[in-house]
Amino acid sequence: AQSVTQPDIHITVSEGASLELRCNYSYGATPYLFWYVQSPGQGLQLLLKYFSGDTLVQGIKGFEAEFKRSQSSFNLRKPSVHWSDAAEYFCAVGARTSYDKVIFGPGTSLSVIP
Amino acid sequence: NAGVTQTPKFQVLKTGQSMTLQCAQDMNHEYMSWYRQDPGMGLRLIHYSVGAGITDQGEVPNGYNVSRSTTEDFPLRLLSAAPSQTSVYFCASRGGGVRLYEQYFGPGTRLTVT
């Protein structure tokens, strides 16, 4: 079975600073990987996804993520954070052999200092 | 195109009461899921459906029932509410083919059981 860890429960950055949110997964084969964002009181929105091919994937709102098989990681990055990026971020992993089993990490809460 | 809708937005129940959380989607998606979100635990899959008339259990199915009589609707029933079911509930749907893993989430139902 697959699992996901997000080592940082909460991160605070200054507006304009760069951001990296960490995600590590456990799965016996190459998984499908996702990052979602949840603004307060809202549902989850898909930021980006990795299925195959180029290991650096671009998403919406200026985010990108890099799949590193050797480190079992899929870290989310943004070069310059905006105050509106303050939200909860979830990494998720899907098993290629079981399309319905998408497992979510515990989330990282991002605060942005003006 | 409303996407995924959920009702009610908020609900307070007494222990032992039953209720149904409603979920509907207008994207003709075959796959629908119910998750619960608890602090520090991310989203956990309760039940899912791969089409009308087909449902299966997720990670935490106990205390919940589902049915899928139409493609559009996927209600979640709490049989006898317990305080441990206090949570935020999200319904999600996704299409097939290359968009198989792109889940669309509803706005959530915040449930409190006293």
XYZ file of all heavy atoms in Angstrom, chain A residues 60-96:
298
model
N -0.488 25.210 -11.869
C -1.149 26.507 -11.884
C -0.565 27.409 -10.806
O 0.151 26.939 -9.913
C -2.669 26.352 -11.678
C -2.973 25.731 -10.311
C -3.276 25.520 -12.800
C -4.442 25.732 -9.946
N -0.836 28.689 -10.914
C -0.449 29.697 -9.920
C 1.062 29.788 -9.756
O 1.542 30.226 -8.700
C -1.090 29.406 -8.554
C -2.595 29.280 -8.604
C -3.186 29.126 -7.211
C -4.692 28.955 -7.295
N -5.372 29.085 -6.007
N 1.832 29.398 -10.749
C 3.280 29.540 -10.692
C 4.012 28.464 -9.912
O 5.207 28.597 -9.640
N 3.334 27.397 -9.542
C 3.969 26.313 -8.799
C 4.599 25.291 -9.740
O 4.142 25.103 -10.865
C 2.942 25.608 -7.911
C 2.561 26.382 -6.692
C 1.465 27.247 -6.711
C 3.294 26.273 -5.517
C 1.113 27.973 -5.583
C 2.951 26.985 -4.388
C 1.858 27.842 -4.418
N 5.620 24.625 -9.232
C 6.223 23.505 -9.929
C 6.614 22.446 -8.901
O 6.706 22.724 -7.698
C 7.458 23.914 -10.732
C 8.620 24.389 -9.884
C 9.847 24.733 -10.727
O 9.703 25.097 -11.907
O 10.962 24.623 -10.184
N 6.806 21.237 -9.362
C 7.225 20.156 -8.473
C 8.169 19.247 -9.233
O 8.076 19.108 -10.450
C 6.033 19.372 -7.954
N 9.081 18.631 -8.502
C 10.053 17.741 -9.112
C 9.970 16.359 -8.502
O 10.037 16.197 -7.277
C 11.475 18.282 -8.943
C 12.515 17.461 -9.699
C 13.873 18.121 -9.715
O 14.104 19.081 -8.951
O 14.733 17.651 -10.494
N 9.806 15.364 -9.351
C 9.776 13.975 -8.932
C 11.203 13.444 -8.914
O 11.903 13.480 -9.924
C 8.929 13.157 -9.910
C 9.024 11.670 -9.725
C 8.765 11.093 -8.506
C 9.372 10.851 -10.800
C 8.840 9.716 -8.337
C 9.452 9.474 -10.641
C 9.194 8.912 -9.406
N 11.626 12.966 -7.738
C 12.951 12.363 -7.607
C 12.768 10.932 -7.125
O 12.542 10.686 -5.931
C 13.821 13.164 -6.637
C 14.195 14.547 -7.146
C 15.178 15.245 -6.219
C 15.591 16.598 -6.785
N 16.543 17.307 -5.901
N 12.914 10.030 -8.055
C 12.685 8.618 -7.735
C 13.655 8.118 -6.674
O 13.277 7.397 -5.763
C 12.834 7.775 -9.007
C 12.522 6.303 -8.834
C 12.957 5.511 -10.068
N 12.419 6.100 -11.284
C 11.237 5.795 -11.787
N 10.467 4.928 -11.177
N 10.819 6.370 -12.911
N 14.915 8.529 -6.753
C 15.931 8.019 -5.825
C 15.653 8.449 -4.393
O 16.074 7.773 -3.443
C 17.316 8.505 -6.258
O 17.370 9.920 -6.222
N 14.967 9.558 -4.241
C 14.665 10.064 -2.901
C 13.201 9.847 -2.524
O 12.785 10.256 -1.438
C 14.991 11.562 -2.826
C 16.454 11.861 -3.062
C 16.753 13.359 -3.074
O 15.984 14.160 -2.570
N 17.888 13.735 -3.655
N 12.427 9.242 -3.409
C 10.986 9.050 -3.171
C 10.338 10.370 -2.743
O 9.597 10.436 -1.757
C 10.740 7.973 -2.098
O 11.223 6.731 -2.534
N 10.657 11.400 -3.491
C 10.153 12.716 -3.109
C 9.454 13.401 -4.281
O 9.694 13.085 -5.453
C 11.285 13.602 -2.600
O 12.170 13.942 -3.663
N 8.607 14.336 -3.922
C 7.864 15.119 -4.920
C 7.637 16.485 -4.283
O 6.542 16.846 -3.884
C 6.549 14.423 -5.265
C 5.805 15.035 -6.430
C 6.406 15.182 -7.671
C 4.484 15.434 -6.290
C 5.727 15.724 -8.747
C 3.773 15.977 -7.359
C 4.397 16.125 -8.589
N 8.689 17.282 -4.192
C 8.633 18.564 -3.495
C 8.027 19.657 -4.361
O 8.288 19.748 -5.563
C 10.024 18.979 -3.040
C 10.579 18.047 -1.978
O 9.860 17.206 -1.429
N 11.865 18.185 -1.700
N 7.253 20.497 -3.731
C 6.564 21.598 -4.410
C 7.371 22.879 -4.218
O 7.833 23.159 -3.101
C 5.165 21.775 -3.811
C 4.282 22.863 -4.412
C 3.807 22.461 -5.809
C 3.075 23.115 -3.509
N 7.504 23.656 -5.290
C 8.303 24.894 -5.192
C 7.572 26.055 -5.851
O 6.748 25.869 -6.767
C 9.661 24.710 -5.869
C 10.496 23.603 -5.276
C 11.937 23.689 -5.757
N 12.046 23.427 -7.190
C 12.603 22.342 -7.698
N 13.065 21.387 -6.888
N 12.704 22.182 -9.003
N 7.922 27.233 -5.357
C 7.471 28.460 -6.007
C 8.555 29.503 -5.790
O 9.016 29.685 -4.655
C 6.139 28.940 -5.448
C 5.564 30.126 -6.217
C 4.138 30.429 -5.816
C 3.569 31.546 -6.701
N 2.150 31.860 -6.386
N 8.998 30.194 -6.829
C 10.129 31.117 -6.689
C 9.819 32.373 -5.879
O 10.695 32.904 -5.213
C 10.482 31.471 -8.140
C 9.312 31.090 -8.959
C 8.587 30.025 -8.231
N 8.579 32.830 -5.906
C 8.233 34.065 -5.206
C 6.794 33.940 -4.706
O 5.849 33.922 -5.488
C 8.375 35.267 -6.140
O 7.994 36.465 -5.485
N 6.659 33.898 -3.396
C 5.348 33.641 -2.793
C 4.538 34.928 -2.684
O 5.081 35.997 -2.353
C 5.546 33.010 -1.397
C 4.230 32.958 -0.640
C 6.120 31.607 -1.535
N 3.257 34.811 -2.923
C 2.322 35.925 -2.791
C 1.455 35.699 -1.557
O 1.235 34.552 -1.138
C 1.458 36.002 -4.060
C 0.588 37.209 -4.147
N -0.739 37.200 -3.788
C 0.856 38.473 -4.568
C -1.248 38.390 -3.966
N -0.296 39.190 -4.446
N 0.934 36.775 -0.979
C 0.130 36.624 0.232
C -1.051 35.687 -0.008
O -1.497 34.967 0.893
C -0.367 37.976 0.738
C -1.300 38.692 -0.199
C -0.974 39.626 -1.135
C -2.720 38.495 -0.320
N -2.086 40.028 -1.825
C -3.175 39.362 -1.354
C -3.656 37.681 0.337
C -4.512 39.432 -1.722
C -4.983 37.761 -0.033
C -5.390 38.632 -1.065
N -1.559 35.659 -1.229
C -2.724 34.815 -1.528
C -2.382 33.328 -1.557
O -3.291 32.492 -1.678
C -3.333 35.228 -2.872
O -2.382 35.060 -3.910
N -1.101 32.989 -1.462
C -0.705 31.581 -1.430
C -0.892 30.950 -0.059
O -0.741 29.727 0.091
C 0.757 31.414 -1.865
C 0.971 31.764 -3.324
O 0.088 31.476 -4.148
O 2.046 32.338 -3.640
N -1.195 31.757 0.943
C -1.429 31.204 2.278
C -2.603 30.238 2.227
O -3.717 30.604 1.829
C -1.724 32.331 3.263
N -2.341 28.988 2.604
C -3.340 27.928 2.469
C -2.760 26.649 3.044
O -1.639 26.615 3.543
C -3.720 27.725 1.002
N -3.531 25.579 2.936
C -3.062 24.250 3.308
C -2.721 23.512 2.022
O -3.471 23.557 1.041
C -4.161 23.499 4.050
C -3.753 22.185 4.666
C -3.273 22.325 6.116
O -3.530 23.387 6.706
O -2.657 21.381 6.627
N -1.592 22.820 2.032
C -1.132 22.118 0.837
C -1.025 20.623 1.133
O -0.439 20.214 2.137
C 0.223 22.664 0.382
C 0.121 24.070 -0.157
C 0.079 25.167 0.707
C 0.032 24.318 -1.524
C -0.052 26.455 0.227
C -0.098 25.604 -2.023
C -0.131 26.662 -1.136
O -0.268 27.941 -1.617
N -1.590 19.856 0.231
C -1.617 18.406 0.407
C -0.914 17.723 -0.759
O -1.210 18.000 -1.921
C -3.052 17.889 0.486
C -3.799 18.339 1.695
C -4.583 19.481 1.658
C -3.716 17.634 2.880
C -5.283 19.906 2.778
C -4.404 18.048 4.009
C -5.183 19.189 3.958
N -0.030 16.824 -0.413
C 0.577 15.924 -1.390
C -0.243 14.633 -1.401
O -0.751 14.207 -0.358
C 2.023 15.642 -0.983
S 2.942 14.597 -2.106
N -0.393 14.019 -2.565
C -1.179 12.786 -2.657
C -0.503 11.830 -3.628
O 0.171 12.258 -4.577
C -2.605 13.088 -3.109
N -0.693 10.555 -3.375
C -0.097 9.531 -4.225
C -1.162 8.536 -4.642
O -2.000 8.132 -3.833
C 1.083 8.827 -3.506
C 0.632 8.195 -2.197
C 1.695 7.755 -4.383
N -1.140 8.177 -5.899
C -2.077 7.203 -6.430
C -1.335 5.991 -6.936
O -0.289 6.122 -7.576
N -1.871 4.830 -6.650
C -1.245 3.592 -7.113
C -1.677 3.308 -8.540
O -2.861 3.330 -8.851
C -1.633 2.439 -6.202
N -0.743 3.029 -9.399
C -1.076 2.791 -10.801
C -1.921 1.548 -10.986
O -2.632 1.413 -11.968
C 0.208 2.669 -11.627
C 0.942 3.973 -11.747
C 2.271 3.824 -12.435
N 2.964 5.101 -12.481
C 3.006 5.882 -13.570
N 2.420 5.503 -14.672
N 3.645 7.033 -13.534
